[in-house]
Amino acid sequence: MMLLCKLAAAVLVAAVLTLLLKKDQPAFAFLVSVCTAAGLLAIVVQQVQPLLDWLRTLDGYFQGQSPAVLLQVLGIALVAQLAADTCKEAGLSAAATAIELCGRVLALLQALPLLQSLLGSFAAYLQ
């Protein structure tokens, strides 16, 4: 809870700074926004260790498919969303839409072996 309050305070300071800089120095305002997002992402990545430990306990349920696939898909989704939001902040809405589409396609391709395994198990169960 305390970490969330600190992150919210940092975002509030960055938002005020961005608004102040946007009139006179839009390039610096954009830089503040991107650096804030990168810093928050770095902090969240440090906090993900308990999730990794929990995913490692799920190894037995996926019959050879590692839960790392789920983490990779989550990582793809987060990076694509961050890149799309950065593009939107810069006024590149078409690039943001393209990045979101690429992220979705890459996530589906990454998860395809796991989906095939699950569908195969389901089909075998029905027979």
Side-chain angles (χ1 to χ4, degrees), residues 37 41 71-89 92-108:
L41 186 60
L71 188 60
Q72 290 168 353
V73 170
L74 180 63
I76 290 169
L78 291 174
V79 169
Q81 185 66 46
L82 179 65
D85 289 343
T86 303
C87 287
K88 286 178 186 175
E89 180 79 21
L92 304 170
S93 60
T97 303
I99 289 173
E100 287 174 347
L101 177 63
C102 289
R104 290 180 184 124
V105 169
L106 290 174
L108 284 173

Coordinates of all heavy atoms in Angstrom, one line a residue, residues 37 41 71-89 92-108:
A37 N 7.1 7.0 -17.0 CA 6.5 5.6 -17.4 C 7.6 4.6 -17.3 O 7.4 3.5 -16.8 CB 5.9 5.7 -18.8
L41 N 7.7 1.4 -14.7 CA 7.8 0.0 -15.2 C 9.0 -0.7 -14.5 O 8.8 -1.9 -14.2 CB 8.0 0.1 -16.7 CG 8.0 -1.3 -17.4 CD1 6.7 -2.0 -17.2 CD2 8.3 -1.1 -18.9
L71 N 3.8 -15.8 -18.7 CA 4.5 -14.6 -18.3 C 5.0 -13.9 -19.6 O 5.0 -12.6 -19.6 CB 5.7 -15.0 -17.4 CG 6.5 -13.8 -16.8 CD1 5.5 -13.0 -16.0 CD2 7.6 -14.4 -16.0
Q72 N 5.4 -14.6 -20.6 CA 5.9 -13.9 -21.8 C 4.7 -13.2 -22.5 O 4.9 -12.1 -23.0 CB 6.5 -15.0 -22.8 CG 7.8 -15.5 -22.3 CD 8.2 -16.8 -23.1 OE1 7.5 -17.3 -23.9 NE2 9.4 -17.2 -22.8
V73 N 3.6 -13.8 -22.5 CA 2.4 -13.1 -23.1 C 2.0 -11.9 -22.3 O 1.8 -10.8 -22.9 CB 1.2 -14.1 -23.2 CG1 -0.1 -13.4 -23.5 CG2 1.5 -15.2 -24.2
L74 N 2.1 -12.0 -21.0 CA 1.9 -10.8 -20.2 C 2.9 -9.7 -20.4 O 2.6 -8.5 -20.5 CB 1.9 -11.2 -18.7 CG 1.7 -10.1 -17.7 CD1 0.3 -9.5 -17.9 CD2 1.8 -10.6 -16.3
G75 N 4.2 -10.1 -20.6 CA 5.2 -9.1 -20.9 C 5.0 -8.5 -22.2 O 5.2 -7.2 -22.4
I76 N 4.6 -9.2 -23.2 CA 4.3 -8.7 -24.5 C 3.2 -7.7 -24.4 O 3.2 -6.6 -25.0 CB 3.9 -9.8 -25.6 CG1 5.2 -10.6 -25.9 CG2 3.3 -9.2 -26.8 CD1 4.9 -11.9 -26.7
A77 N 2.1 -8.0 -23.7 CA 1.0 -7.1 -23.6 C 1.4 -5.8 -22.9 O 1.0 -4.7 -23.3 CB -0.1 -7.8 -22.8
L78 N 2.2 -5.9 -21.8 CA 2.6 -4.7 -21.1 C 3.5 -3.8 -21.9 O 3.3 -2.6 -21.9 CB 3.3 -5.1 -19.8 CG 2.4 -5.7 -18.7 CD1 3.2 -6.2 -17.5 CD2 1.3 -4.8 -18.3
V79 N 4.4 -4.4 -22.6 CA 5.3 -3.6 -23.4 C 4.6 -2.9 -24.6 O 4.8 -1.8 -24.9 CB 6.5 -4.5 -24.0 CG1 7.3 -3.7 -25.0 CG2 7.4 -4.9 -22.8
A80 N 3.7 -3.7 -25.2 CA 2.9 -3.1 -26.3 C 2.0 -2.0 -25.8 O 1.9 -0.9 -26.5 CB 2.0 -4.2 -27.0
Q81 N 1.4 -2.1 -24.6 CA 0.6 -1.1 -24.1 C 1.4 0.2 -23.8 O 1.0 1.3 -24.0 CB -0.2 -1.6 -22.9 CG -1.2 -0.6 -22.3 CD -2.3 -0.3 -23.3 OE1 -2.9 -1.3 -23.8 NE2 -2.7 0.9 -23.5
L82 N 2.6 0.0 -23.2 CA 3.4 1.1 -22.8 C 3.9 1.8 -24.1 O 3.8 3.1 -24.2 CB 4.6 0.6 -22.0 CG 5.6 1.7 -21.7 CD1 5.0 2.7 -20.7 CD2 6.9 1.1 -21.1
A83 N 4.2 1.1 -25.1 CA 4.7 1.7 -26.4 C 3.5 2.4 -27.1 O 3.7 3.5 -27.6 CB 5.2 0.6 -27.3
A84 N 2.3 1.8 -27.0 CA 1.1 2.5 -27.6 C 0.8 3.7 -26.9 O 0.5 4.8 -27.5 CB 0.0 1.5 -27.6
D85 N 0.8 3.7 -25.6 CA 0.6 4.9 -24.8 C 1.6 6.0 -25.0 O 1.2 7.2 -25.1 CB 0.5 4.6 -23.3 CG -0.7 3.8 -22.9 OD1 -1.7 3.8 -23.7 OD2 -0.7 3.2 -21.8
T86 N 2.8 5.6 -25.2 CA 3.9 6.6 -25.5 C 3.6 7.2 -26.9 O 3.8 8.4 -27.1 CB 5.3 5.9 -25.5 OG1 5.5 5.3 -24.2 CG2 6.4 6.9 -25.7
C87 N 3.2 6.4 -27.9 CA 2.9 6.9 -29.2 C 1.7 7.9 -29.1 O 1.7 8.9 -29.8 CB 2.6 5.8 -30.2 SG 4.1 4.9 -30.7
K88 N 0.7 7.5 -28.3 CA -0.5 8.4 -28.2 C -0.1 9.7 -27.6 O -0.6 10.8 -28.0 CB -1.5 7.7 -27.4 CG -2.3 6.6 -28.1 CD -3.3 5.9 -27.2 CE -3.9 4.8 -27.9 NZ -4.8 4.0 -27.1
E89 N 0.8 9.7 -26.6 CA 1.3 10.9 -25.9 C 2.0 11.8 -26.9 O 1.9 13.0 -26.8 CB 2.2 10.5 -24.8 CG 2.8 11.7 -24.0 CD 1.8 12.2 -23.0 OE1 0.9 11.6 -22.6 OE2 2.0 13.4 -22.6
L92 N 0.9 10.2 -32.1 CA 1.0 9.3 -33.2 C 0.0 8.2 -33.0 O 0.3 7.0 -32.7 CB 2.4 8.7 -33.3 CG 3.6 9.7 -33.4 CD1 4.9 9.0 -33.2 CD2 3.5 10.3 -34.8
S93 N -1.3 8.5 -33.2 CA -2.3 7.5 -32.9 C -2.3 6.4 -33.9 O -2.6 5.2 -33.5 CB -3.7 8.2 -32.9 OG -3.9 8.8 -34.2
A94 N -1.9 6.6 -35.1 CA -1.9 5.5 -36.1 C -0.8 4.5 -35.7 O -1.0 3.2 -35.7 CB -1.6 6.0 -37.5
A95 N 0.4 5.0 -35.3 CA 1.4 4.1 -34.8 C 1.0 3.3 -33.5 O 1.3 2.2 -33.3 CB 2.7 4.9 -34.5
A96 N 0.3 4.0 -32.6 CA -0.2 3.4 -31.4 C -1.1 2.2 -31.7 O -1.0 1.1 -31.2 CB -0.9 4.4 -30.5
T97 N -2.0 2.4 -32.7 CA -2.9 1.4 -33.1 C -2.2 0.2 -33.7 O -2.5 -1.0 -33.4 CB -4.0 1.9 -34.1 OG1 -4.7 3.0 -33.5 CG2 -5.0 0.8 -34.5
A98 N -1.2 0.5 -34.5 CA -0.4 -0.6 -35.1 C 0.4 -1.4 -34.1 O 0.5 -2.6 -34.2 CB 0.6 0.0 -36.2
I99 N 0.9 -0.7 -33.1 CA 1.7 -1.4 -32.0 C 0.7 -2.2 -31.2 O 1.1 -3.4 -30.8 CB 2.4 -0.3 -31.1 CG1 3.6 0.3 -31.9 CG2 2.9 -1.0 -29.8 CD1 4.3 1.4 -31.2
E100 N -0.5 -1.8 -30.9 CA -1.4 -2.6 -30.2 C -1.8 -3.8 -31.0 O -1.9 -4.9 -30.4 CB -2.7 -1.8 -29.9 CG -2.5 -0.7 -28.8 CD -3.7 0.2 -28.6 OE1 -4.6 0.2 -29.5 OE2 -3.7 0.9 -27.6
L101 N -2.0 -3.7 -32.3 CA -2.3 -4.9 -33.1 C -1.1 -5.8 -33.1 O -1.3 -7.0 -33.0 CB -2.7 -4.4 -34.5 CG -2.9 -5.5 -35.5 CD1 -4.2 -6.3 -35.1 CD2 -3.1 -5.0 -36.9
C102 N 0.1 -5.3 -33.3 CA 1.3 -6.2 -33.3 C 1.4 -6.9 -32.0 O 1.8 -8.1 -31.9 CB 2.5 -5.4 -33.6 SG 2.6 -4.8 -35.3
G103 N 1.1 -6.2 -30.9 CA 1.2 -6.9 -29.6 C 0.2 -8.0 -29.4 O 0.6 -9.1 -28.9
R104 N -1.0 -7.8 -29.9 CA -2.0 -8.8 -29.8 C -1.6 -10.1 -30.7 O -1.8 -11.2 -30.2 CB -3.3 -8.3 -30.3 CG -3.9 -7.3 -29.3 CD -5.3 -6.8 -29.8 NE -5.8 -5.8 -28.9 CZ -6.1 -4.6 -29.2 NH1 -6.0 -4.2 -30.5 NH2 -6.5 -3.7 -28.3
V105 N -1.1 -9.8 -31.9 CA -0.7 -10.9 -32.8 C 0.5 -11.7 -32.1 O 0.5 -12.9 -32.1 CB -0.4 -10.4 -34.2 CG1 0.3 -11.4 -35.0 CG2 -1.6 -9.9 -34.9
L106 N 1.5 -10.9 -31.6 CA 2.6 -11.6 -31.0 C 2.2 -12.4 -29.8 O 2.8 -13.5 -29.5 CB 3.7 -10.6 -30.7 CG 4.4 -9.9 -31.9 CD1 5.3 -8.8 -31.4 CD2 5.2 -11.0 -32.6
A107 N 1.3 -11.9 -29.0 CA 0.8 -12.6 -27.8 C 0.1 -13.9 -28.2 O 0.3 -14.9 -27.6 CB -0.1 -11.7 -27.0
L108 N -0.7 -13.8 -29.2 CA -1.4 -15.0 -29.7 C -0.4 -16.1 -30.3 O -0.5 -17.3 -30.0 CB -2.4 -14.7 -30.8 CG -3.7 -14.1 -30.3 CD1 -4.6 -13.6 -31.5 CD2 -4.5 -15.1 -29.4

